[in-house]
Amino acid sequence: MRSKIKSPTIYEITTTIHFNFICNNNHFCVAQEATVKDSLYTATYNELNVLYLKRLDSEIYQEHMRLMGDFYHKTNLKSDKWSLLNPDPIAWVEQNLAETDFFSVFEAQQEWDAFKMAEKKEFEENKEYHRKLRIFKVGPEIFRDLMNDAIVKYPDRFNPPPPLEKADN
């Protein structure tokens, strides 16, 4: 029987993925004092904000997030358990196939490969955003501020897409 776990929202997916990225990225993991919102922070924030909003609106980012959401949803894991999928989600699916919504490991592999391909394309299409996010030394607070501000100002960009309608046969 298929599980009826609620699909994660784009916000939950984005927050989880980016939090993991920041915590696993060595140059952000240095313990830092609270960021002072000085002129450097403000200039950096404004520059990243433009790139972040452009990224949110890109078709490849939306496709990437949809594919990621579909894959993670089919694992039937709550977002706080997604770390179980690291480092190899396909190995986890293979060991837990009966508890997932995947029909086979092959299906999971195809979906994971499509997600990783979209991720690669998203990084390429939004490379200026990703490059600048890595070179600024203001810490993870700026990313948190970008996300929180975008969610408040543009909540429609974080709502899950409407479900696809099934074709009549």
Side-chain angles (χ1 to χ4, degrees), residues 25-69:
N25 211 324
N26 288 337
H27 58 274
F28 284 123
C29 288
V30 176
Q32 299 178 348
E33 294 183 21
T35 302
V36 177
K37 291 191 176 185
D38 58 8
S39 60
L40 173 63
Y41 177 92
T42 302
T44 302
Y45 174 91
N46 290 337
E47 187 175 358
L48 280 172
N49 189 48
V50 169
L51 295 171
Y52 182 63
L53 294 175
K54 178 182 170 193
R55 177 183 184 230
L56 287 178
D57 288 337
S58 69
E59 286 183 29
I60 190 61
Y61 174 78
Q62 293 169 17
E63 175 70 0
H64 170 238
M65 295 308 291
R66 184 191 63 75
L67 290 168
M68 182 172 56

Side-chain angles (χ1 to χ4, degrees), residues 118-130:
E119 180 179 62
K120 186 175 180 179
K121 288 179 183 177
E122 190 278 321
F123 268 75
E124 182 60 33
E125 187 173 307
N126 295 300
K127 65 184 167 193
E128 186 178 6
Y129 165 78
H130 292 288

Side-chain angles (χ1 to χ4, degrees), residues 4-128:
K4 294 192 181 192
I5 292 178
K6 180 182 160 265
S7 293
T9 65
I10 297 295
Y11 172 74
E12 290 168 331
I13 293 169
T14 305
T15 303
T16 301
I17 297 303
H18 284 90
F19 178 78
N20 287 336
F21 167 78
I22 288 168
C23 289
N24 291 325
N25 211 324
N26 288 337
H27 58 274
F28 284 123
C29 288
V30 176
Q32 299 178 348
E33 294 183 21
T35 302
V36 177
K37 291 191 176 185
D38 58 8
S39 60
L40 173 63
Y41 177 92
T42 302
T44 302
Y45 174 91
N46 290 337
E47 187 175 358
L48 280 172
N49 189 48
V50 169
L51 295 171
Y52 182 63
L53 294 175
K54 178 182 170 193
R55 177 183 184 230
L56 287 178
D57 288 337
S58 69
E59 286 183 29
I60 190 61
Y61 174 78
Q62 293 169 17
E63 175 70 0
H64 170 238
M65 295 308 291
R66 184 191 63 75
L67 290 168
M68 182 172 56
D70 290 351
F71 182 88
Y72 280 81
H73 177 70
K74 284 186 174 182
T75 66
N76 290 327
L77 290 171
K78 293 182 179 180
S79 61
D80 63 337
K81 300 291 184 190
W82 287 349
S83 63
L84 296 173
L85 299 173
N86 291 326
D88 183 4
I90 302 306
W92 183 89
V93 169
E94 190 169 15
Q95 293 174 355
N96 299 280
L97 184 61
E99 295 152 27
T100 73
D101 284 344
F102 293 108
F103 292 105
S104 66
V105 174
F106 179 75
E107 176 193 18
Q109 183 69 61
Q110 285 185 310
E111 290 191 23
W112 183 253
D113 290 346
F115 157 67
K116 294 306 280 184
M117 180 65 72
E119 180 179 62
K120 186 175 180 179
K121 288 179 183 177
E122 190 278 321
F123 268 75
E124 182 60 33
E125 187 173 307
N126 295 300
K127 65 184 167 193
E128 186 178 6

